[in-house]
Amino acid sequence: FISGKEDASNNFSRGYYTTGKEIEEPVLDCIRSLAENCGDLQGFMIHHSIGGGTGSGFTARLAERLSVDYSKKAKLGFT
């Protein structure tokens, strides 16, 4: 788990631009580490909320980066 010291501001843009920007690299480092240890990575499953809060903002940012970094892997989103 990766956590920050932010409050639950329930604000999409804060999760996308502010808080998300701060924790994006540590999260991607964990994902890269796990992906490198996989013998045959098929893709990613992301379970998230789309209610417009901080978590949905960060998840949108993360999904964009996964699309760039792992463009040939499947990405499934469950809301």
Side-chain angles (χ1 to χ4, degrees):
F1 287 101
I2 298 201
S3 62
K5 294 182 180 178
E6 286 291 323
D7 58 354
S9 63
N10 199 24
N11 188 329
F12 180 91
S13 62
R14 191 166 174 182
Y16 190 88
Y17 295 107
T18 309
T19 308
K21 194 174 191 178
E22 294 171 5
I23 66 170
E24 179 180 27
E25 285 307 317
V27 169
L28 288 171
D29 288 343
C30 286
I31 292 171
R32 278 188 212 104
S33 174
L34 292 169
E36 289 170 0
N37 289 329
C38 287
D40 187 20
L41 179 68
Q42 297 294 310
F44 301 92
M45 289 196 301
I46 302 171
H47 300 266
H48 62 94
S49 169
I50 57 170
T54 309
S56 61
F58 175 68
T59 304
R61 183 180 189 91
L62 181 63
E64 286 180 10
R65 280 294 302 267
L66 288 176
S67 292
V68 171
D69 295 350
Y70 300 94
S71 59
K72 296 185 178 187
K73 302 297 180 187
K75 288 140 214 90
L76 301 172
F78 298 96
T79 57

